[in-house]
Amino acid sequence: MSNIIVCGACGRMGSAIINMAKQDKDFNIVAGTEIDSSPSIGNKNPLIVKSSDMESVVNAGDIIIDFTIASNTMKNVELALKKNAKLVIGTTGLTDENKEVLKKAGEKISIVFAPNMSTGINLLLDIVENISKKIPNYDVEIVEIHHNKKKDSPSGTAIRLAEAVAAGHNKSLNDVGVYGRHGTQTLRKPEEIGVHAVRCGDVCGDHTVYFASEGEVIEISHKATSRACLVAGALRAAKWINDKPAGLYDMRDVLGLK
């Protein structure tokens, strides 16, 4: 049995992770963290502490599951290094600098990092990269839709899909990514990978990749109808990482797709 700490315990993902983990004999939820102003601070089932007090509970956990914000996640990485705890990170909006921190931390501790932990999305990443290799001259555009409370844009999943396309084209997304278009001088360049974000309602997450050429359009889509697929993926990652050596892994490692 693994002792887990859930960061962002009372948020959409955190509370869903706790509810599902309580039904699984492989997990013992020892604590959760929340923003310092949360009315849930002090709850006992599990113990909820302020994010700023994470150090007071970190020694009780074997695995830290983090779906918070970049600044908080980076603090938790530091604590995990001190404790030698394992990390499952689903936080989105991480910068390239943040990702370098994770890469360096992965030299000492085990980390699974993925902006989307659903099985379907990670299968889609493989499909998209393979298609991109076979039709490198097609225009590629990615559209993602999320609920109106989502803070970062575009989604981490959309960026990962764009990275998969770029990898299939043997290019860097930093060189060919275009994020939205506005104005009169936006004629599409052949090598561009367009990424576009929509925010509305309570959509859990819709992602569509368009491959287009003269006379045809290929659409590949994934729609999350609830967060259950993300929660199941996070807990699957927590089980998988339990006996893994230090390294920075993603969900394709967890699913055996690499």
Side-chain angles (χ1 to χ4, degrees), residues 174-230:
N174 290 334
D175 296 329
V176 296
V178 174
Y179 301 92
R181 293 187 178 86
H182 176 74
T184 59
Q185 302 298 319
T186 58
L187 183 65
R188 192 185 198 284
K189 298 176 183 177
E191 70 273 13
E192 286 180 0
I193 300 171
V195 184
H196 311 278
V198 179
R199 297 289 174 266
C200 58
D202 61 353
V203 180
C204 290
D206 291 358
H207 295 84
T208 301
V209 183
Y210 298 88
F211 295 89
S213 186
E214 295 296 325
E216 67 176 2
V217 178
I218 303 167
E219 296 181 24
I220 304 176
S221 296
H222 177 275
K223 297 181 183 294
T225 56
S226 79
R227 290 179 180 81
C229 62
L230 307 175

Side-chain angles (χ1 to χ4, degrees), residues 22-239:
K22 283 181 177 178
Q23 312 305 315
D24 193 319
K25 60 181 177 55
D26 291 329
F27 296 117
N28 177 37
I29 309 164
V30 294
T33 69
E34 257 301 331
I35 58 173
D36 290 9
S37 60
S38 173
S40 298
I41 301 299
N43 283 1
K44 302 294 185 182
N45 188 26
L47 173 65
I48 305 295
V49 302
K50 297 177 181 178
S51 292
S52 59
D53 290 338
M54 173 69 166
E55 196 160 6
S56 69
V57 296
V58 70
N59 286 331
D62 305 310
I63 301 171
I64 299 168
I65 301 179
D66 189 330
F67 282 77
T68 57
I69 59 174
S71 58
N72 190 68
T73 297
M74 291 302 102
K75 292 176 183 176
N76 291 335
V77 171
E78 292 179 13
L79 288 174
L81 283 166
K82 290 181 182 178
K83 158 67 177 172
N84 196 32
K86 299 176 186 296
L87 279 164
V88 173
I89 298 173
T91 301
T92 60
L94 269 60
T95 65
D96 288 342
E97 183 180 351
N98 295 150
K99 292 173 185 177
E100 281 300 314
V101 171
L102 293 185
K103 185 176 179 180
K104 188 172 182 180
E107 296 172 3
K108 297 181 179 179
I109 60 175
S110 306
I111 303 171
V112 172
F113 166 60
N116 190 312
M117 294 192 176
S118 80
T119 297
I121 278 290
N122 286 281
L123 289 171
L124 185 62
L125 287 169
D126 266 17
I127 293 168
V128 164
E129 184 169 340
N130 283 327
I131 289 176
S132 298
K133 292 176 181 177
K134 297 180 186 304
I135 48 174
N137 296 323
Y138 277 49
D139 295 336
V140 185
E141 299 282 314
I142 298 167
V143 178
E144 57 97 345
I145 309 174
H146 280 85
H147 56 86
N148 58 23
K149 300 294 191 300
K150 186 168 176 61
K151 295 178 181 179
D152 59 305
S153 177
S155 70
T157 303
I159 292 172
R160 281 293 294 115
L161 286 165
E163 288 173 343
V165 173
H169 291 171
N170 291 316
K171 295 183 181 296
S172 167
L173 183 59
N174 290 334
D175 296 329
V176 296
V178 174
Y179 301 92
R181 293 187 178 86
H182 176 74
T184 59
Q185 302 298 319
T186 58
L187 183 65
R188 192 185 198 284
K189 298 176 183 177
E191 70 273 13
E192 286 180 0
I193 300 171
V195 184
H196 311 278
V198 179
R199 297 289 174 266
C200 58
D202 61 353
V203 180
C204 290
D206 291 358
H207 295 84
T208 301
V209 183
Y210 298 88
F211 295 89
S213 186
E214 295 296 325
E216 67 176 2
V217 178
I218 303 167
E219 296 181 24
I220 304 176
S221 296
H222 177 275
K223 297 181 183 294
T225 56
S226 79
R227 290 179 180 81
C229 62
L230 307 175
V231 174
L235 293 179
R236 181 171 182 170
K239 290 182 182 182

